[in-house]
Amino acid sequence: MAEDTILQDWVAGTTNYRIRASIVTGVSVVYTIFVIVTLAMFIIVARNKRSGLEKRSVKLVFIQALGCYLAGVDGLVTAALNNWACFVRLWLFNVGFMLSLSAMFARAFHLMVVYKVHELTSKLSARDPMQIINEMDAGVTQSAHMLPKIVVHSSLIGHLGVESMEKQNGGSLRSKFSRTKLTSTEEQIRDMQQLKKYRRLLPYATDRMLITFILISLALTMVLSLVINITNKQFAVRPVQSVCNFFWGFLPVTAIIIVYFFIVFPLILWRVWGNRDAYGIRHDLIICDTVGIAVLIVTLVWVNVLHETQQIWPGLSYVWIYAFFLHISSVFVPLLNAIKHNKSALEGNDQLRRPSIGDASMAPRVVLPLSNRRANFNRMLDDPIEYSKFRTFAVSCFSSELTAFIEEYQVLKTETIAVLRPNSMRGRPSASTMCTIANPEPTKLSAIVSPHANSNSKADSNAYAPTSVTTSILNTLTTNNPNTKPTHTVSFPSQLFDKLKAIYWDYIDPNSYTSVNASPMVVRRIAEQMNTKDYNVTLFDELKDEVLFMLYSDVYTRYIRK
């Protein structure tokens, strides 16, 4: 009798039913407006590259949010109405959950692959500068009695240009381009093998491939839903049924949800557990999985155990809590952080003007007073210890290609001076900013000091005077040739043409996985010069300035907050 009393108190038309329906309807309206507004703002703010939202993959987040909304609406309508069309309830449940789950999996897979590529390439391209200097002082050369050395080309960052691995004493790992970096020990070999594996996965971690995966999952889910519509009368389109058993009709997708939350997501999150990205993507995914597990357990218990309570407040309504928390974690909180970051970046740029898109080599540069933050950024580039920390942090921002490019620029600067001024490399280097030593002789031991080289001894009168990465190659030539006045018409030595091409294909070509995402006009100008073989020393100056601006306005702004 007690059960009948409870059920009668909550049937359609009663006061309790109307109150519940009114509250849930109001929540549904507010929830819909909230989702539409925040998702629209998310997409708009993501157009600003400094926001960092594009690192989260806007398309995948949108699909996840859409799936969560459909599942949330299913839960809210079920809470408001005791009985409504079962086949609509089934489709919203199946499609909503499959979109959100597949999008979450795609985001986790993307994070795992992209972070590992940045982490491993940054690790392989780094080397202790003092070790190199000590080897140079001792006159170390490759010989049979030494441990096997591995020469890693810079394009490993962009293309993993590893053709073969020679494991003989004195052997090397050679690439198709000219630049080499020296690493050693089995750890480097293992890192390169891992990098090669993750590089193979990169084509599958693109938005296009991941969205294709989501669409295939959605298509299979729709086929499954149609089969249920046809084989189960409770979920038939005609005649429409309003009373349906939760368990049997929703069992197939519920089983998929259990597999995702309890097996697939924990496994992939375990792989990305140490990936401390600067955008909070890892935390977001962990929250999504945790909330999903909690809501799934509560809903199953509520529906299948608490039968009387189920009549008062449907267990399927808790799906809305899952949808709401996922939207907060994946859209709303990142949106607030992006707006805050943009404001902080603008405050730091109050006295900073972005490099002109015009011909920087021809037009005189206007020097503006630097803000304190910009001055600190330049000092950080000059500090080997601080730069090393910043370089590591750039990996968490998925921006290792930016630091890699400025290091390549420094190597190019050093080698240009070395070739144009043969006596300039005598003696050890003086203390420098972002100084890189390179031996242009490929048959000898190539020692790359990146990004800093320090020395307590004074360089002789003919020594190369290294300059900061903020100083162009042309200005460095002027510094090292006080008796002449080089102009922008000075060309790179022919010995370095292959290096110029390698830099272009690694960091400038739009099809490269490690393109620095420069402005289209700068990319087009460099491409035109490369096509016409106009290899003047100002070739990469505009790009270098843009890269430094991106590092300063985005990565450094996050770095100082951390």
Side-chain angles (χ1 to χ4, degrees), residues 59-306:
K59 295 178 182 178
L60 296 181
V61 172
F62 177 82
I63 294 174
Q64 177 186 316
L66 176 61
C68 287
Y69 177 74
L70 294 177
V73 167
D74 189 21
L76 287 173
V77 175
T78 302
L81 305 174
N82 281 349
N83 300 310
W84 63 296
C86 291
F87 81 91
V88 177
R89 194 184 314 184
L90 174 72
W91 275 79
L92 286 176
F93 182 87
N94 288 357
V95 172
F97 265 103
M98 189 52 62
L99 282 177
S100 62
L101 292 177
S102 56
M104 285 169 55
F105 172 80
R107 292 179 59 211
F109 180 76
H110 180 268
L111 172 64
M112 177 186 71
V113 175
V114 173
Y115 188 95
K116 292 301 292 184
V117 168
H118 281 274
E119 180 184 47
L120 291 169
T121 51
S122 179
K123 183 179 179 181
L124 285 168
S125 64
R127 195 178 180 211
D128 180 15
M130 293 311 299
Q131 177 186 354
I132 300 291
I133 293 176
N134 292 335
E135 290 177 356
M136 293 178 65
D137 288 345
V140 176
T141 57
Q142 265 185 317
S143 59
H145 70 276
M146 295 176 62
L147 291 174
K149 299 293 183 181
I150 300 174
V151 179
V152 183
H153 178 240
S154 65
S155 65
L156 183 64
I157 297 176
H159 305 287
L160 192 68
V162 178
E163 301 298 338
S164 62
M165 185 177 294
E166 301 170 4
K167 295 186 178 180
Q168 302 173 352
N169 288 336
S172 64
L173 182 68
R174 299 186 183 276
S175 64
K176 58 183 178 181
F177 297 111
S178 60
R179 187 188 166 200
T180 56
K181 287 186 179 181
L182 184 65
T183 57
S184 60
T185 76
E186 294 181 357
E187 182 179 357
Q188 271 89 15
I189 298 176
R190 187 166 56 252
D191 288 341
M192 282 192 294
Q193 290 173 339
Q194 281 191 331
L195 179 58
K196 191 173 183 179
K197 178 184 71 174
Y198 282 107
R199 287 289 300 168
R200 289 198 190 103
L201 293 176
L202 266 180
Y204 303 100
T206 60
D207 280 353
R208 176 178 296 182
M209 291 299 296
L210 293 175
I211 291 175
T212 300
F213 159 75
I214 294 173
L215 292 177
I216 292 174
S217 301
L218 178 61
L220 294 175
T221 302
M222 295 175 70
V223 171
L224 175 62
S225 301
L226 284 173
V227 171
I228 295 175
N229 290 151
I230 296 172
T231 59
N232 193 320
K233 293 182 179 180
Q234 289 185 352
F235 298 96
V237 177
R238 291 182 181 180
V240 177
Q241 300 291 326
S242 59
V243 178
C244 44
N245 187 299
F246 172 84
F247 182 75
W248 294 111
F250 296 90
L251 179 61
V253 172
T254 301
I256 295 174
I257 294 172
I258 293 174
V259 171
Y260 262 98
F261 281 136
F262 287 93
I263 299 177
V264 177
F265 285 149
L267 284 176
I268 198 168
L269 289 177
W270 173 72
R271 296 298 300 269
V272 302
W273 190 261
N275 300 358
R276 303 190 180 278
D277 64 283
Y279 305 100
I281 302 174
R282 181 187 68 118
H283 293 95
D284 170 20
L285 294 171
I286 292 174
I287 291 173
C288 290
D289 186 50
T290 304
V291 171
I293 291 175
V295 169
L296 178 62
I297 293 174
V298 171
T299 301
L300 291 176
V301 172
W302 199 278
V303 170
N304 297 287
V305 178
L306 305 176

Side-chain angles (χ1 to χ4, degrees), residues 264-506:
V264 177
F265 285 149
L267 284 176
I268 198 168
L269 289 177
W270 173 72
R271 296 298 300 269
V272 302
W273 190 261
N275 300 358
R276 303 190 180 278
D277 64 283
Y279 305 100
I281 302 174
R282 181 187 68 118
H283 293 95
D284 170 20
L285 294 171
I286 292 174
I287 291 173
C288 290
D289 186 50
T290 304
V291 171
I293 291 175
V295 169
L296 178 62
I297 293 174
V298 171
T299 301
L300 291 176
V301 172
W302 199 278
V303 170
N304 297 287
V305 178
L306 305 176
H307 298 291
E308 292 184 0
T309 309
Q310 163 74 6
Q311 299 299 320
I312 299 173
W313 191 267
L316 195 61
S317 63
Y318 287 100
V319 171
W320 173 77
I321 296 178
Y322 157 82
F324 178 73
F325 272 97
L326 261 64
H327 189 85
I328 291 290
S329 177
S330 300
V331 178
F332 185 66
V333 172
L335 175 62
L336 292 182
N337 290 337
I339 294 174
K340 181 180 178 181
H341 173 74
N342 286 345
K343 181 180 178 181
S344 177
L346 288 174
E347 290 174 352
N349 295 339
D350 55 353
Q351 293 174 295
L352 178 68
R353 187 177 70 182
R354 184 168 182 145
S356 172
I357 299 300
D359 190 345
S361 63
M362 298 294 293
R365 294 178 181 271
V366 178
V367 180
L368 299 178
L370 295 177
S371 64
N372 290 333
R373 184 185 297 180
R374 178 68 183 196
N376 291 336
F377 172 71
N378 291 341
R379 282 193 291 269
M380 180 274 298
L381 295 177
D382 295 350
D383 187 332
I385 297 177
E386 194 64 27
Y387 175 79
S388 178
K389 296 178 182 177
F390 175 77
R391 190 176 188 274
T392 301
F393 182 77
V395 173
S396 69
C397 296
F398 311 125
S399 299
S400 62
E401 73 279 1
L402 300 181
T403 54
F405 172 77
I406 63 173
E407 290 166 17
E408 288 276 13
Y409 184 88
Q410 285 299 91
V411 171
L412 180 64
K413 180 195 297 182
T414 305
E415 293 186 351
T416 300
I417 303 299
V419 175
L420 294 180
R421 194 167 176 229
N423 295 326
S424 63
M425 297 302 293
R426 295 188 318 185
R428 293 177 62 181
S430 52
S432 66
T433 305
M434 299 286 294
C435 173
T436 309
I437 300 173
N439 186 344
E441 189 67 36
T443 58
K444 297 181 181 179
L445 178 65
S446 294
I448 305 297
V449 180
S450 176
H452 301 271
N454 297 304
S455 173
N456 296 324
S457 64
K458 295 183 178 180
D460 61 30
S461 59
N462 291 323
Y464 159 51
T467 58
S468 167
V469 71
T470 58
T471 305
S472 68
I473 296 176
L474 180 61
N475 290 338
T476 303
L477 281 171
T478 303
T479 301
N480 285 271
N481 296 273
N483 297 326
T484 61
K485 292 184 178 180
T487 66
H488 67 277
T489 59
V490 176
S491 297
F492 283 107
S494 59
Q495 299 95 313
L496 301 180
F497 286 176
D498 286 342
K499 180 181 291 296
L500 300 179
K501 296 175 184 177
I503 292 175
Y504 176 82
W505 291 116
D506 284 350

